[in-house]
Amino acid sequence: MTLEKALKELLIRDPFYGIFMLGLNKRIVSGDHEIQTAAVGLSGLNYTLYINEDWWNKLQDAECQAVIKHEVGHLLFFHLTDTFKSDYPTIMNIAMDQWSRYAVMYSCNC
């Protein structure tokens, strides 16, 4: 499933997440990029969704939807703000991923 198709379907099926995606920059990166799966990050004054093309193309349609929701979850829960700075960034990243994953699984039929 292309990213564009996944975003359109998300906007129709789950507008809550879809509307957040409208305001994000989207960037597809190559297989040898430092982002090996998907991520969101600051890009100037806006946020960008990064998708590794090689990894994305191996996913099923439902997984594509879940990945997008997971990444939006990081924004919804303010995981990129100073509030979540930690002396243990690896542990904090794992905890934030778990929370975002839980929220996605709780909110959809993925």
Side-chain angles (χ1 to χ4, degrees), residues 34-67:
E34 67 177 317
I35 295 172
Q36 291 296 301
T37 56
V40 287
L42 279 172
S43 180
L45 296 176
N46 202 351
Y47 293 103
T48 299
L49 169 69
Y50 297 93
I51 298 286
N52 184 295
E53 185 174 30
D54 293 346
W55 175 78
W56 178 266
N57 289 334
K58 296 175 186 173
L59 300 177
Q60 300 294 320
D61 291 356
E63 292 172 318
C64 292
Q65 298 288 314
V67 165

Side-chain angles (χ1 to χ4, degrees), residues 1-10 56 64-65 68:
M1 171 180 277
T2 66
L3 179 58
E4 292 80 14
K5 182 176 178 185
L7 294 173
K8 286 177 186 176
E9 285 190 20
L10 184 61
W56 178 266
C64 292
Q65 298 288 314
I68 293 170

